Structures are given as C-alpha cells and as structure tokens.
Amino acid sequence: MLWQDGMVSGSALQITNWISIPYYIKIAEALVFLLGVTVVIERTVTGDFRLHRSYFSGPLLLILSAFFISWVRGMYMQQRVAIILEAHEAFSIPLLFYVVNNAFRDPEEAETLYKILLLAVIPKCLDGLYIWFFSPDTKKYWGVLELWRDGYDLAMGAIGSLLFLHYRAKKLRWLKRTMLFSIPLIGVTLMLSMRRTFVVSIMAAAVLMFVTLPKSYRKRQLMAFGGLLLGLIVFAIVTNPVAIVERFSGIVEPQGEGSAYIRLMELPNVLENIRNHPVLGVPVGIPWKVYYRMPVSAVYTTLGTHDAYLYWPLRAGVLGAIAFLWLFARLWKSVLLTYRLRRTEENFFFSQFSIQLLIIYLIASFFGLLYADDMPSLLAVVFTAIQLHARHITGMSSFREIKFWQSMREGKLVHKLSLIQRLKQGLKNLLWSAQHAV
C-alpha cells in the first residue's frame, strides 16, 4: 500500500504490470480495501466490533463534512450526480485513516508501523531503478518516480537514515544498518526522480534538526548535514547532471523552467478564486476560473493547486481551512508531548522521526499536491503511527484535556481542570481575596 502504484509504467515490481484493473481504481486504495476486509474477518473471529477512537477524529470528520458539502454544491451547479477526482484525494483521507486506525490498535504496534514506513522506501527505490533501466516509457526522463507519495517515501527514507546516525542503542541496530546501507539506493533514485520539492524538504528538515535535536547532538548533526549535502551532489553527478541542473534551476529562476513557471502563474489565479469564494470555496468538481492568462501549451490543473495550503480554502472554504489547521495543531501537540516525555532511545528516535515527517510534509505542501497521488493512504499510516506512539509513551488516547505549554515546561502531563474544579478554584480565590481585603 505504501509503494505500489506509479505514473511511469513498465516496472515488473508493480502489481498493475501483471494484473489489469479499471483506470478509476487506484491500486493503493484497493489494498486499503483488502486491509479493511482483513479487519472485518479479524473482528468476526474475535467478536470485538468496537471502533477505535482517535484524537484526530474531530478535524478529520470536519474535512469529510466540508468536502461533502462542496461536492453537493458542485452537483447542484452542474445538475448531475458525479463521482469526482477528489474522491481519491481529500475526501479519502478520513475514510482511509479509519480503516488503518482500526487495523492497528495496540500501542506497541506504533513501532511496527514506523518500521514499515522506513522500509517501504527500499522496494520503491528498486521500482524506480527498474523503470530507469528497463521501462520503454519515455516519461521516465521527466522522473522515474512522479507520484507525490513516492517523493514523500524517498524523503522519509533519507531523513530516517540521517536520524539513525544519532541512534546508539542495540534494539534497532538491524534497521539502522539496513537504512544506512540503502543510502546510495535512495540518493540515486531521488536524483533520477528529480523531485526538487522533496530535496528542498530534506535539506530544510536536516537544518531544523539543529533545533529539534538536543544540543549535545549538534556537532554530529553538522557532520551528517555535510555528508548529506556532499552525497546529493555526488548522486547528481553520477546520474543525469545536465537534466538535474536544468530542473533544479527552476527553484531560483522559475521563469526559465516550464514546470516551476506554471506553478508561479497558477498562484495568482488560485488566490483570486479564494478571494471571490471566501466562505464555501469553489465547489468540488467545478474547475476554478482562470483570471490571469495561462500558457495554452502548459500542463496544469484547474481541479487542484500545487500549494496544498491553498487547496483547503479553495475547495472547502472556511471549514476546509479550519479542519486543516485543527488537524495539524493536534498532530503537533501529539508529537511534541511524546518527544518531551520520551523514556528510551527508541522513543527518542521514533519521536524525532514523527517530528521530521510533519516538517517534511509542511514544507513540501508549499510546492506540491500533498493531498493527492496516493498521499491519503500514506497519511493514514503516518497519522495512526503518531497516535499509537503517543499512546504508548503517555498512556493516553487524547490530549484534549492536557495543558500543552505547562506539560512541556514540567516534563509531565498537566491536566486541565474540569468545570466544577474551575468553579471551586474560582470560589477559593474569591474567598482568599475577600479575606485579604478585610
């Protein structure tokens, strides 16, 4: 589920290379469906049909509601019932999450999910290399791995390997060796894919490690960062240097590189659509209006945007924007409290990995469709892993009643007072003030 599917054909490692499926069914979503069937069988055998609750349910349900309202508006405007592209994108994030969330319920399974996330990059890289050497598809010269999910996979592998340079315990030694030995594989595939969004995200995450890691780790991180920078240069030289330089030049001079230029020209159009539809957004299934001229020969979409932050207010208005901010506020609260309360070297590694996953996502969201291209199935696993890891360390499934800043300062969970407790505290303070006044 985390590495099947792709935009470039011809890989023998892909199920769809051997089995034909309808174009409107994504193989990653089909695998989530099979996971759901497995969960039903398991629950039938055990007789346990309880639904696993989540700290992220509130914002995810708001996402589902906001896009459902937008979809209904779109059908009303078009006067027809339509299955739309967003059914594979923002619509599916909550739905796929609830499947994965109920498949993995034990807090100890967080470690299993993190291992799966890290190891998924290896077959994905092999997939990319097979495409480069054997696929007849000419799209590979634009990048062997083109899905946004695939770029995120490569970034996870790169940043996870970098974090393992700081891991000194024995329990995950086999995983550390596996990831470190995979660095050349990840680097070569990253360059052959020419995923500049994720190269920028990896570099930014590596820089931010100087802040997120303890001070005693900074000297080692400086050497790791230098090795990362040198490695990317070497991998670029040994793969396809001319094409890579041309593609990456779009970061600083977007006018000279077609793909970057289109995204630059897309931005004012999207902002104008949001300005003209600030409350409910442009309905799902309705192309946004082109206010400023776009080149006729350009490949761009009027059903989405390359800035994921703008996608939510564009398609779901105020509700969509609130849901996105609410979701990531809860994700950050979970990972930071988990990191603050870590107890073991493994807790430290997986907590830092969770922080870096969010950093990579939020940086890449400035430049890409981090809500599409199989990202929903990947996000379902990431969110579930973060939730289970937080529960494993803190013993809590929800942090709604936890004071964040006070807990971070004191290094322990500080609970908010209930309404009755607040009234008692207020009355006690009032009596104390009255006594001192007398």
Side-chain angles (χ1 to χ4, degrees):
M1 187 178 78
L2 295 177
W3 65 273
Q4 282 291 313
D5 205 359
M7 293 181 68
V8 185
S9 62
S11 173
L13 280 69
Q14 290 290 323
I15 295 174
T16 50
N17 193 58
W18 307 102
I19 301 174
S20 179
I21 62 173
Y23 74 92
Y24 50 83
I25 295 178
K26 297 179 74 66
I27 185 63
E29 293 173 352
L31 292 170
V32 178
F33 174 77
L34 292 178
L35 177 63
V37 172
T38 306
V39 172
V40 171
I41 294 172
E42 177 203 10
R43 296 299 187 89
T44 303
V45 172
T46 60
D48 181 7
F49 294 99
R50 292 174 297 175
L51 294 178
H52 189 205
R53 299 180 63 183
S54 171
Y55 179 48
F56 310 129
S57 291
L60 288 172
L61 287 174
L62 184 58
I63 287 174
L64 193 61
S65 301
F67 276 88
F68 179 77
I69 293 171
S70 184
W71 177 47
V72 171
R73 288 180 60 233
M75 288 192 296
Y76 176 77
M77 291 177 64
Q78 294 180 319
Q79 290 295 295
R80 65 187 182 92
V81 177
I83 302 298
I84 38 77
L85 180 66
E86 282 83 353
H88 297 290
E89 296 175 356
F91 250 131
S92 62
I93 292 175
L95 301 175
L96 301 188
F97 169 75
Y98 287 121
V99 174
V100 180
N101 182 54
N102 280 281
F104 298 90
R105 292 166 289 164
D106 296 331
E108 291 75 15
E109 289 180 317
E111 185 172 314
T112 302
L113 290 180
Y114 282 123
K115 290 175 182 176
I116 291 172
L117 284 167
L118 283 165
L119 293 173
V121 71
I122 297 175
K124 190 73 256 183
C125 288
L126 296 175
D127 190 32
L129 289 179
Y130 189 97
I131 288 171
W132 179 254
F133 287 109
F134 303 111
S135 174
D137 193 337
T138 56
K139 287 192 297 182
K140 69 182 181 182
Y141 297 111
W142 186 251
V144 293
L145 302 178
E146 297 182 9
L147 289 177
W148 292 99
R149 188 277 315 273
D150 297 345
Y152 196 87
D153 275 344
L154 294 171
M156 283 195 303
I159 215 67
S161 301
L162 200 64
L163 273 173
F164 264 126
L165 295 175
H166 301 287
Y167 178 78
R168 290 291 181 265
K170 296 181 179 180
K171 184 178 179 181
L172 299 177
R173 184 176 293 176
W174 69 270
L175 184 59
K176 176 180 178 179
R177 289 173 178 171
T178 302
M179 296 308 300
L180 293 182
F181 281 128
S182 300
I183 288 177
L185 183 64
I186 296 170
V188 168
T189 310
L190 183 63
M191 289 298 105
L192 289 176
S193 300
M194 291 185 276
R195 303 314 307 266
R196 57 191 171 194
T197 293
F198 293 100
V199 171
V200 170
S201 300
I202 291 167
M203 295 299 293
V207 170
L208 289 174
M209 279 188 193
F210 288 104
V211 178
T212 63
L213 290 170
K215 291 182 179 179
S216 59
Y217 287 64
R218 289 179 182 174
K219 184 177 180 180
R220 192 183 305 156
Q221 177 60 19
L222 183 61
M223 293 186 289
F225 180 78
L228 172 66
L229 188 59
L230 178 63
L232 290 175
I233 294 172
V234 171
F235 293 135
I237 292 173
V238 301
T239 51
N240 194 357
V242 175
I244 290 171
V245 169
E246 181 183 355
R247 186 79 176 273
F248 279 74
S249 66
I251 296 175
V252 291
E253 294 184 2
Q255 296 88 345
E257 201 277 327
S259 178
Y261 187 47
I262 294 308
R263 298 181 192 188
L264 188 65
M265 297 182 69
E266 176 189 280
L267 184 60
N269 280 295
V270 171
L271 290 174
E272 189 67 15
N273 276 273
I274 293 173
R275 190 179 73 86
N276 291 326
H277 304 85
V279 179
L280 297 176
V282 179
V284 161
I286 304 293
W288 49 259
K289 185 176 179 180
V290 177
Y291 292 96
Y292 305 100
R293 186 182 65 83
M294 299 286 285
V296 177
S297 61
V299 178
Y300 64 94
T301 175
T302 54
L303 293 174
T305 169
H306 282 83
D307 190 320
Y309 293 103
L310 298 179
Y311 179 75
W312 307 93
L314 173 69
R315 282 305 185 191
V318 174
L319 288 180
I322 291 173
F324 177 80
L325 295 174
W326 186 13
L327 174 61
F328 275 86
R330 290 199 164 184
L331 284 165
W332 274 112
K333 186 175 183 179
S334 296
V335 300
L336 292 176
L337 286 174
T338 301
Y339 177 66
R340 184 70 176 89
L341 300 173
R342 66 192 185 278
R343 295 185 293 271
T344 66
E345 188 75 7
E346 289 70 40
N347 290 163
F348 168 81
F349 174 81
F350 290 125
S351 297
Q352 270 292 329
F353 186 53
S354 299
I355 291 172
Q356 301 308 320
L357 288 180
L358 295 187
I359 289 174
I360 291 170
Y361 183 89
L362 293 177
I363 292 174
S365 290
F366 283 108
F367 314 107
L369 289 73
L370 270 290
Y371 50 84
D373 285 355
D374 291 332
M375 279 301 297
S377 56
L378 175 61
L379 291 176
V381 179
V382 171
F383 294 168
T384 303
I386 289 174
Q387 175 179 270
L388 291 177
H389 188 52
R391 186 178 166 197
H392 175 63
I393 291 180
T394 67
M396 299 192 66
S397 300
S398 173
F399 297 112
R400 282 178 295 181
E401 302 302 322
I402 299 298
K403 294 182 178 180
F404 175 72
W405 294 112
Q406 194 171 343
S407 298
M408 292 294 289
R409 284 195 302 268
E410 298 184 15
K412 63 178 182 180
L413 294 179
V414 179
H415 293 260
K416 297 177 182 177
L417 297 176
S418 65
L419 178 60
I420 295 177
Q421 289 173 324
R422 288 199 296 269
L423 290 173
K424 288 182 178 179
Q425 186 66 41
L427 182 59
K428 186 183 294 185
N429 292 338
L430 184 63
L431 292 174
W432 184 86
S433 300
Q435 288 175 352
H436 278 69
V438 172

